[in-house]
Amino acid sequence: DSLVQYADFFRIVKGEPFDTLVSVNSWESANELIERYPLVPRDCTEVLKRNINALPIPISSCISMSTTYLPHLKLLGEQDCVVGMSGTLFVYDSLYNNRIAQSLVAEVGSDAAPDYEKIISLNPDVVLAYGIAGADNTYIKKLKTLGVRVLVINDYLENNPLGKLEYIKLFGAITDKFSKADSIFAERSTDYIAVREKCRKRGYDPVKVLINLPFRDIWYVPAKMNYTSILISDAGGEILGGSKDGTISSQESFEKMYTLGKGADVWIHLNSFSTISGVINENSLYKNLQVVKNKRVYNNIKRSTPRGGSDFWEGGAVDPAEILKDLITIFHPDMALEEFEGRELKYYIELK
């Protein structure tokens, strides 16, 4: 559908009498499950009564089960419609944190343990939710049986950075601000493409990137078509040790990644570490790596909260050009000096 260019897991279909939002769920089974949500004007009460999937447009209140939905609503000036949230402790954005502090946004529990009474008492137009492959997603079905409308949003499955950004159109459709959403998308996607093409024109040899730290003795490395890998590739980098196809992260041994790490030019995404000494305390072998000796170690924690909120994963979804500029600045300082003169890193810090 021409209304959606890059996203794989939602569509907006023009139609009579109502446009329809289509959500593609690939977590339910091997086969894709298509969910259709008619976008029905609020005053068509009979139609809304008959169909639990019909959404009253524009929505005036919602519960957000993920922090990644918040920046889209804020960009559209619709932050006040969020009346409940899962994970209020992990919100980065100060505007939402102020609303949480004033009790204008309630905590509703997690997808694993939702507070159904709280959700029903808030009487939202819709719960913005997600399902996870291999997890128990019964909360979605239970909410519907309780008469609560649920819109399943699969932004986390998208791997193209512009596909993630394009969810602004989904939020534009449900808030009746589609043209505003469309123009924000056009501006931000154009910015991203322009930065990516400038980097490509330089014809750099890919910078070799060591990514992550082991978790319980397993070193997870994103595959070539993963969201993070695409950002790194668009910035003229190449992840060491990742699978050459697909989107699923591979599970590598410490030994393999440590050996590959000896050839790394840059090391990024080191859990929550903010100092090189902290990383070396984790494993003293790291001090032998050339990237550590050269202090070419960076982490995406510049915009984070003490409680674990991360704007890289929250606001970064609608800000891909700025993440790309950060990565180019880290990988190719010469280009950054010319193209982004005087710009400071927005999402990353250099580990000292």
Side-chain angles (χ1 to χ4, degrees), residues 149-169:
R149 296 178 198 281
V150 183
L151 169 58
V152 175
I153 300 175
N154 297 311
D155 58 329
Y156 75 98
L157 292 171
E158 302 288 350
N159 287 297
N160 185 331
L162 298 181
K164 275 194 197 291
L165 171 64
E166 198 159 24
Y167 277 71
I168 188 101
K169 294 181 184 177

Side-chain angles (χ1 to χ4, degrees), residues 231-246:
L231 280 165
I232 287 166
S233 169
D234 285 351
E238 178 182 42
I239 291 177
L240 293 168
S243 150
K244 291 292 175 238
D245 48 33

Side-chain angles (χ1 to χ4, degrees), residues 70-86:
L70 303 179
H72 298 282
L73 289 164
K74 183 181 168 183
L75 274 177
L76 294 168
E78 292 292 335
Q79 63 277 352
D80 292 1
C81 82
V82 180
V83 295
M85 266 203 70
S86 171

Side-chain angles (χ1 to χ4, degrees), residues 67-255:
T67 58
T68 59
Y69 310 150
L70 303 179
H72 298 282
L73 289 164
K74 183 181 168 183
L75 274 177
L76 294 168
E78 292 292 335
Q79 63 277 352
D80 292 1
C81 82
V82 180
V83 295
M85 266 203 70
S86 171
T88 49
L89 286 175
F90 302 111
V91 175
Y92 175 82
D93 188 280
S94 58
L95 193 149
Y96 285 105
N97 275 319
N98 289 340
R99 290 181 58 74
I100 292 162
Q102 293 169 49
S103 303
L104 297 169
V105 179
E107 174 61 56
V108 300
S110 67
D111 55 299
D115 184 340
Y116 292 110
E117 281 183 25
K118 174 59 78 178
I119 291 169
I120 289 166
S121 74
L122 291 168
N123 192 27
D125 282 340
V126 64
V127 173
L128 308 174
Y130 58 89
I132 294 180
D136 182 359
N137 297 305
T138 48
Y139 83 103
I140 293 172
K141 293 187 180 80
K142 177 153 185 190
L143 284 169
K144 286 185 178 182
T145 62
L146 293 168
V148 179
R149 296 178 198 281
V150 183
L151 169 58
V152 175
I153 300 175
N154 297 311
D155 58 329
Y156 75 98
L157 292 171
E158 302 288 350
N159 287 297
N160 185 331
L162 298 181
K164 275 194 197 291
L165 171 64
E166 198 159 24
Y167 277 71
I168 188 101
K169 294 181 184 177
L170 179 150
F171 290 93
I174 63 175
T175 56
D176 205 19
K177 288 189 171 175
F178 188 82
S179 61
K180 181 175 182 177
D182 199 32
S183 66
I184 291 169
F185 175 76
E187 184 186 326
R188 292 186 175 220
S189 58
T190 302
D191 193 11
Y192 182 90
I193 291 164
V195 174
R196 181 185 71 195
E197 293 312 307
K198 276 178 183 168
C199 188
R200 281 187 183 162
K201 282 198 178 111
R202 297 277 179 135
Y204 291 111
D205 288 334
V207 167
K208 293 183 171 58
V209 181
L210 182 64
I211 192 166
N212 297 340
L213 273 169
F215 177 70
R216 292 181 184 157
D217 299 328
I218 296 171
W219 203 309
Y220 291 91
V221 184
K224 190 171 186 181
M225 296 314 292
N226 173 282
Y227 168 72
T228 308
S229 306
I230 290 170
L231 280 165
I232 287 166
S233 169
D234 285 351
E238 178 182 42
I239 291 177
L240 293 168
S243 150
K244 291 292 175 238
D245 48 33
T247 60
I248 311 277
S249 292
S250 56
Q251 301 181 17
E252 308 292 354
S253 66
F254 170 83
E255 292 74 19

